[in-house]
């Protein structure tokens, strides 16, 4: 099945916005365009529902129902129970709350495994627990390929490890890590698993229920929605960790790790992400329950992205003075392409901007993986990232612009 790119782009107001006309967006890993259903729900909430939710009067009742709808529909698409999904201000803040909970639950001398492939949000909060006597073990990438090897993890696992944290996909390496195999190895050793899905989820929400991790984190603002962090916490672990919210919310799983009041409007608007996924499924003839529709849309997105990504990788990998970070096979990675250049990444991005290409340059909060790869974080990389609404014409324009800049 081929994606109807015209239908897809019609769902995003940005593509009919005059101020963006003539520009091709290649910094999607920093935040995607927002789909029309999310914008419509957010506007309706602010116009009609902007009251304290869950009271008996009509506007409040509807406000609460819309918040509950977002949680229920997204949880169903991810293959988890409704109360196993919660919202927070950002994935970084969700991770800090989790780290505090683990720090209270764990004993000095017990261990957490982190990687040096991660964005700092799924590394730094855990590493700080070393100050509490928790042992931090680092699962290190191959300095040439940037990949994590399962055998290296297995050598770090023993009975003292309580948690293994790793990215589904690195925001600079781009490689898709084998979540199921890694989770199985960690569980076999008696450890829980926390997966940072921020750089993967924009390319199709995963079937978290069948993949098996105990925690899965991603960001709605990179997944066509509002600025919210979304967290799956499986019930067994969620009830084991100490409550981080008000004491009277401790018996409600989706509130236990949300110490602050949620942004009601943005939570409600997140249901628009489910609206969009369902619209894609219906237009392309993908049927079944919510999970089946999401799996079909995931595969549709990935097929389109892979077809566009491979020509870009082929064009870049043999260029002199350009180091392509991560796999050269599009099937093994997300379309988040980092390039180490002779010039600073930000400088190359400025040159591309003059040619109508919106891209980014810098370290992208991935200082640890860049150092491990021998890339100077001060110089950074040029990052070119796209998603399923990117067109073949935009890829052609990007390649032509790169030929002029690199």
């Amino acid at each position: 099945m081929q994606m109807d790119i015209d239908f897809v782009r019609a769902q995003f107001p940005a593509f009919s916005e005059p101020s963006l006309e003539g520009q091709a967006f290649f910094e999607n890993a920093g935040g995607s365009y927002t789909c029309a259903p999310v914008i419509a729900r957010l506007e309706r909430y602010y116009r009609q529902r902007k009251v304290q939710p869950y009271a008996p009067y009509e506007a409040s009742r509807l406000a609460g129902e819309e918040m509950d709808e977002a949680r229920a529909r997204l949880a169903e698409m991810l293959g988890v129970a409704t109360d196993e999904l919660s919202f927070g201000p950002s994935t970084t803040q969700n991770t800090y709350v989790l780290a505090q909970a683990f720090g209270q639950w764990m004993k000095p001398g017990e261990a957490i495994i982190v990687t040096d492939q991660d964005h700092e949000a799924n590394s730094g909060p855990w590493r700080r627990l070393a100050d509490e006597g928790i042992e931090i073990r680092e699962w290190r990438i191959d300095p040439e390929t940037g990949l994590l090897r399962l055998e290296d993890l297995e050598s770090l696992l023993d009975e003292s490890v309580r948690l293994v944290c790793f990215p589904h996909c690195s925001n600079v390496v781009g490689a898709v890590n084998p979540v199921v195999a890694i989770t199985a190895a960690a569980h076999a050793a008696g450890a829980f698993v926390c997966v940072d899905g921020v750089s993967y989820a924009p390319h199709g929400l995963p079937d978290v229920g069948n993949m098996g991790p105990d925690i899965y984190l991603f960001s709605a603002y990179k997944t066509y929605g509002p600025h919210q962090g979304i967290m799956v916490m499986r019930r067994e672990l969620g009830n084991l960790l100490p409550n981080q919210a008000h004491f009277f919310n401790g018996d409600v799983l989706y509130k236990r790790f949300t110490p602050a009041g949620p942004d009601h409007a943005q939570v409600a608007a997140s249901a628009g992400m489910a609206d969009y996924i369902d619209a894609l499924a219906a237009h392309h003839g993908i049927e079944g329950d919510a999970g089946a529709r999401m799996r079909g849309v995931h595969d549709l997105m990935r097929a389109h992205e892979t077809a566009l990504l491979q020509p870009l990788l082929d064009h870049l990998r043999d260029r002199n003075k350009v180091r392509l970070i991560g796999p050269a096979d599009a099937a093994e990675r997300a379309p988040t392409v980092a390039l180490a250049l002779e010039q600073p990444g930000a400088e190359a991005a400025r040159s591309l901007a003059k040619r109508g290409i919106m891209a980014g340059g810098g370290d992208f909060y991935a200082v640890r993986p860049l150092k491990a790869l021998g890339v100077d974080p001060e110089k950074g990389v040029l990052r070119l990232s796209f998603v399923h609404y990117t067109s073949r014409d935009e890829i052609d324009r990007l390649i032509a612009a790169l030929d002029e800049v690199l």
Side-chain angles (χ1 to χ4, degrees):
M1 184 187 303
Q2 191 168 15
M3 176 173 284
D4 183 346
I5 190 66
D6 293 332
F7 175 83
V8 167
R9 290 168 73 90
Q11 312 310 306
F12 290 86
F15 292 115
S16 58
E17 168 57 40
S19 67
L20 295 173
E21 187 176 358
Q23 300 182 69
F25 188 33
F26 284 96
E27 184 34 7
N28 290 272
S32 65
Y33 285 147
T34 307
C35 63
V38 167
I39 296 171
R41 282 179 177 266
L42 189 63
E43 181 180 14
R44 182 177 68 184
Y45 196 98
Y46 275 114
R47 287 181 180 276
Q48 302 177 21
R49 321 272 196 252
K50 193 64 179 71
V51 295
Q52 188 70 9
Y54 300 109
Y57 52 92
E58 185 72 355
S60 178
R61 180 184 66 79
L62 291 171
E65 286 181 0
E66 291 181 10
M67 293 172 66
D68 291 344
E69 178 191 357
R71 182 177 298 103
R73 291 178 66 193
L74 289 173
E76 192 176 12
M77 288 181 170
L78 292 162
V80 300
T82 299
D83 66 345
E84 292 180 322
L85 186 144
S86 61
F87 294 88
S90 68
T91 294
T92 300
Q93 188 148 325
N94 283 344
T95 309
Y96 268 95
V97 173
L98 285 174
Q100 178 167 299
F102 270 91
Q104 294 170 357
W105 175 66
M106 291 175 65
K107 301 173 183 176
E110 293 181 330
I112 292 176
I113 294 175
V114 299
T115 84
D116 62 351
Q117 194 191 59
D118 277 279
H119 181 290
E120 190 64 15
N122 197 36
S123 181
W126 304 113
R127 292 172 187 267
R128 293 186 181 195
L129 293 180
D131 296 336
E132 310 300 323
I134 304 302
E135 181 188 356
I136 304 300
R137 301 179 185 177
E138 188 174 65
W139 181 14
R140 296 177 180 172
I141 59 175
D142 181 298
E144 294 298 323
T145 66
L147 303 183
L148 292 166
R149 294 178 291 235
L150 186 58
E151 57 268 27
D152 293 339
L153 170 64
E154 291 170 340
S155 69
L156 296 172
L157 289 166
D158 60 31
E159 66 280 356
S160 67
V161 176
R162 295 290 172 266
L163 182 67
V164 177
C165 307
F166 66 95
H168 196 161
C169 171
S170 164
N171 71 328
V172 291
V173 177
V176 178
N177 290 316
V179 173
V180 174
I182 296 170
T183 298
H187 283 174
F192 292 108
V193 169
C194 176
V195 178
D196 175 2
V198 170
S199 293
Y200 185 89
H203 311 292
L205 298 184
D207 187 349
V208 176
N210 283 326
M211 293 172 69
D214 306 284
I215 304 167
Y216 194 92
L217 305 152
F218 66 100
S219 298
Y221 74 96
K222 297 184 180 183
T223 318
Y224 321 112
H227 202 292
Q228 285 286 284
I230 297 177
M231 176 172 67
V232 170
M233 170 77 81
R234 303 314 299 269
R235 186 175 293 108
E236 178 188 2
L237 176 58
N239 289 334
L240 187 64
L241 294 174
N243 173 37
Q244 300 299 304
H246 298 310
F247 74 91
F248 46 79
N249 285 331
D251 293 334
V252 182
L253 180 56
Y254 72 87
K255 294 181 179 180
R256 284 175 65 86
F257 304 98
T258 309
D263 186 317
H264 301 146
Q266 291 193 39
V267 170
S270 293
M273 296 159 60
D275 292 338
Y276 173 59
I277 291 165
D278 280 342
L280 283 184
H283 182 78
H284 292 90
I286 299 169
E287 300 178 342
D289 62 17
R293 296 195 301 275
M294 185 62 255
R295 289 190 293 273
V297 169
H298 170 282
D299 293 347
L300 187 71
M301 290 178 172
R302 286 287 291 155
H304 175 78
E305 291 173 352
T306 301
L308 296 190
L309 177 58
Q310 194 59 60
L312 176 62
L313 297 176
D314 291 343
H315 190 78
L316 291 169
R317 63 182 175 181
D318 295 325
R319 290 185 68 99
N320 294 329
K321 302 178 183 179
V322 173
R323 180 184 177 188
L324 171 65
I325 305 296
D329 183 348
E332 297 176 3
R333 64 178 301 152
T336 301
V337 180
L339 305 176
L341 310 171
E342 290 189 331
Q343 61 183 303
E347 183 179 310
R350 283 192 293 271
S351 297
L352 287 173
K354 297 175 183 177
R355 293 162 173 80
I357 302 295
M358 296 185 282
D363 62 45
F364 302 103
Y365 300 94
V367 172
R368 297 180 201 274
L370 291 181
K371 285 183 175 180
L373 288 162
V375 177
D376 180 3
E378 293 292 325
K379 194 173 180 181
V381 293
L382 172 67
R383 189 173 70 176
L384 311 166
S385 53
F386 65 91
V387 291
H388 69 286
Y389 54 54
T390 302
S391 69
R392 188 170 297 277
D393 175 69
E394 287 174 325
I395 295 292
D396 292 341
R397 288 170 56 196
L398 171 63
I399 289 175
L402 288 171
D403 283 343
E404 296 179 10
V405 169
L406 302 183

